[in-house]
């Protein structure tokens, strides 16, 4: 509440605070820690603290019977701390501190359950995130040309060649963290983490770090022409994630693909130059996506840790509160009227229709919009409307704890009733939108068409289930074979190369030549140099003078 009120004051007075704290300086080199407090950072911190506090309350009950509950809560607090470091940093050094910390703690949380699947998922996650760290470090090196790592102090009208490379590297780093093509494969694999971790990662921390960094660097990006390429990448990612969500049966992975789709949606808004709209949708997405994961976690817990939606059904009768909240979050995801996402998504949709874009972008945007409605209706049908199987009748627990419900009620209340409040708050400067009536009702028409289309295709999909399952395995289930490429080519070859270097160099010919490897050789060299400088340097100096005198005598 304190951060939210401070953000309101900074919006009202149109101010920001730039705070530098100097640790020490050596000659002309100053080691500073820099903090940027404006309405955007304070508002985002307030949302992060709101969502994470409810998730931590939820985790106290959800992880109650886990032996490592204290370690889990400690890692979650580290996760929130590094995200706050990233949010308040206008300096690339301190951004790297939060950026690298998020990747490290996410690896620890993905491998929390310590089985083979968790380890492989965590390894893919950490390697792809380290790739983003590499591009951040390269942009830091390039920013040395400006004499400062603070990006708000850069003169944007000079040194355009330098700015081009910096913005390109930061864009690639943001694509790795926000899991756009071709770095998308780690996001569904990160579902090996516990459900509260997924809720925090997908709503307001790890995945949103990339898009938040691009919002911060927006003045650099909007000066260059590669936004068209970024628009193509986001369109393809939105299409791929929507198609994967339709063919997926794991509940958490379906929600992960929906996160991927919404991240691509935010990148598309950013490419159009609407920074405030992108940030507004980022906050609204954090609200309903956290609620989606929390309610699905209770559904999975009651189904005896079963995540397959084919083995669920009729849960609205047994778990009415969680089923209702889950349905509301999916309606908010679709931009249903008067939910929190409606005020941002409908505005963005209308603005997109006004833009002078080609048929490619227009078609993929509308088709991805249709896919979002389609997989949302599919999940509602499978979980809440379909008759439950005998397996569920035997295994359902009917457990809705008071702590779990209390932790969900506050965010769900904001999600349902405060969308218009945030819109009036952030968009005090309105854009005039002029559209024909048929374009104004196009989003509602797509919603009703997707409902009709789903129920028409439902029987056909069941009759063609064998063919669809084969097609799913070979193409859609592997994220257009990105998983195959990452795991079989990139990851396995990377690890095989590491084993090869260990075998050939460290325990191979170096071991043979230097007796005990490279470390023993370095020890001998260090000991030899210490012997020269500490003990026998007089002898060497005398020998040198003796050799010098002999040369002089022979010359004479």
């Amino acid at each position: 509440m304190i951060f939210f009120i401070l953000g309101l004051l900074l919006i009202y007075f149109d101010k920001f605070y730039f705070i530098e704290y100097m640790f020490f300086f050596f000659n002309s080199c100053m080691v500073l820690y820099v903090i940027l407090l404006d309405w955007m950072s304070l508002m985002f911190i307030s949302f992060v603290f709101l969502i994470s506090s409810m998730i931590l309350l939820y985790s106290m009950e959800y992880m109650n019977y886990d032996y490592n509950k204290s370690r889990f809560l400690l890692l979650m607090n580290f996760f929130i701390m590094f995200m706050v470091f990233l949010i308040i940093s206008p300096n690339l050094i301190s951004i790297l501190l939060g950026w690298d910390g998020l990747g490290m703690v996410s690896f620890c949380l993905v491998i929390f359950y310590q089985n083979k699947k968790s380890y492989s998922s965590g390894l893919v996650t950490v390697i792809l995130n380290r790739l983003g760290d590499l591009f951040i470090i390269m942009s830091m090196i390039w920013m040395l040309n400006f004499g400062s790592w603070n990006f708000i102090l850069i003169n944007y009208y000079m040194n355009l060649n330098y700015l081009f490379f910096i913005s390109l590297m930061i864009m690639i780093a943001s694509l790795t963290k926000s899991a756009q093509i071709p770095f998308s494969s780690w996001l569904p694999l990160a579902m090996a983490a516990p459900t509260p971790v997924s809720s925090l990662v997908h709503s307001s921390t790890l995945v949103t770090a990339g898009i938040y960094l691009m919002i911060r660097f927006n003045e650099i990006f909007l000066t260059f022409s590669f936004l068209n390429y970024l628009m193509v990448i986001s369109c393809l990612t939105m299409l791929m994630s929507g198609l994967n969500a339709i063919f997926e049966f794991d509940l958490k992975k379906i929600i992960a693909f929906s996160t991927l789709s919404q991240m691509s949606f935010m990148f598309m808004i950013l490419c159009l130059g609407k920074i405030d709209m992108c940030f507004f949708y980022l906050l609204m997405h954090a609200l309903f996506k956290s609620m989606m994961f929390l309610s699905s976690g209770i559904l999975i817990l009651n189904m005896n840790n079963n995540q397959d939606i084919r083995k669920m059904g009729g849960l609205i009768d047994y778990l009415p509160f969680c089923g209702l909240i889950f349905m509301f979050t999916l309606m908010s995801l679709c931009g249903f009227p008067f939910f929190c996402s409606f005020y941002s998504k409908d505005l963005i949709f209308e603005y997109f229709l006004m833009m002078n874009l080609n048929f490619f972008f227009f078609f993929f945007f509308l088709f991805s919009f249709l896919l979002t409605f389609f997989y949302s209706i599919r999940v509602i049908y499978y979980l809440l409307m379909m008759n439950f199987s005998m397996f569920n009748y035997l295994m359902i627990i009917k457990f809705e704890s008071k702590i779990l419900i209390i932790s969900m009620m506050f965010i769900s209340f904001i999600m349902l009733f405060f969308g218009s409040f945030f819109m009036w708050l952030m968009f005090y400067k309105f854009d005039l939108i002029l559209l024909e009536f048929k374009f104004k009702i196009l989003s509602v028409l797509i919603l009703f068409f997707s409902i009709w289309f789903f129920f028409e295709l439902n029987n056909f999909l069941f009759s063609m289930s064998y063919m669809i399952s084969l097609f799913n395995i070979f193409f859609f289930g592997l994220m257009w074979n990105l998983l195959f490429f990452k795991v079989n080519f990139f990851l396995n070859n990377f690890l095989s190369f590491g084993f090869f270097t260990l075998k050939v160099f460290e325990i191979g010919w170096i071991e043979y030549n230097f007796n005990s490897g490279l470390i023993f050789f370095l020890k001998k060299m260090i000991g030899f140099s210490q012997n020269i400088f500490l003990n026998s340097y007089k002898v060497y100096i005398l020998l040198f003078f003796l050799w010098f005198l002999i040369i002089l005598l022979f010359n004479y």
Side-chain angles (χ1 to χ4, degrees), residues 351-483:
Y351 190 81
F352 195 89
L353 294 177
M354 285 180 61
M355 295 298 291
N356 187 18
L357 296 171
N358 59 22
F359 179 75
F360 175 82
F361 292 138
F362 193 75
F363 171 75
F364 276 102
F365 179 77
L366 289 180
F367 189 64
S368 304
F369 219 71
L370 173 66
L371 291 176
T372 303
F373 291 138
F374 197 86
Y375 66 71
S376 303
I377 295 161
R378 177 174 175 261
V379 171
I380 290 174
Y381 176 77
Y382 269 94
L383 263 65
L384 307 177
M385 297 169 63
M386 196 173 68
N387 293 328
F388 52 83
S389 63
M390 183 59 71
F391 173 82
N392 298 336
Y393 187 75
L394 295 173
M395 302 301 288
I396 198 160
I397 303 171
K398 302 180 186 176
F399 171 71
E400 280 186 333
S401 169
K402 287 183 179 178
I403 295 178
L404 296 179
I405 290 175
I406 290 169
S407 63
M408 293 167 63
M409 282 180 68
F410 190 56
I411 305 180
S412 58
F413 182 75
I414 295 175
M415 179 192 74
L416 292 175
F417 300 109
F418 277 79
S420 59
F421 169 74
F422 289 117
M423 179 184 168
W424 297 332
L425 189 68
M426 294 184 191
F427 294 111
Y428 50 91
K429 298 175 184 176
F430 284 99
D431 289 329
L432 184 62
I433 294 176
L434 296 172
L435 286 174
E436 295 182 30
F437 179 72
K438 59 185 177 184
F439 291 116
K440 288 291 282 185
I441 64 166
L442 185 59
S443 60
V444 182
L445 290 177
I446 291 174
L447 172 62
F448 285 115
F449 173 75
S450 58
I451 294 171
W452 170 81
F453 192 59
F454 173 76
F455 285 106
E456 284 292 325
L457 277 182
N458 199 20
N459 295 326
F460 173 74
L461 292 177
F462 276 119
S463 62
M464 297 289 290
S465 59
Y466 180 70
M467 294 294 294
I468 288 172
S469 63
L470 286 178
F471 196 54
N472 179 20
I473 289 168
F474 286 113
F475 192 70
F476 286 119
L478 297 174
M479 301 178 66
W480 295 358
N481 294 327
L482 279 175
L483 276 173

Side-chain angles (χ1 to χ4, degrees), residues 123-136:
L123 203 57
V124 173
T125 302
V126 76
I127 286 176
L128 287 177
N129 278 289
R130 288 302 294 166
L131 197 62
D133 301 341
L134 171 66
F135 283 103
I136 291 283

Side-chain angles (χ1 to χ4, degrees), residues 227-235 268 271-272 352 357 361:
L227 287 178
N228 293 327
Y229 302 106
L230 183 60
M231 179 78 93
V232 173
I233 290 171
S234 57
C235 281
M268 290 171 73
C271 293
L272 299 178
F352 195 89
L357 296 171
F361 292 138

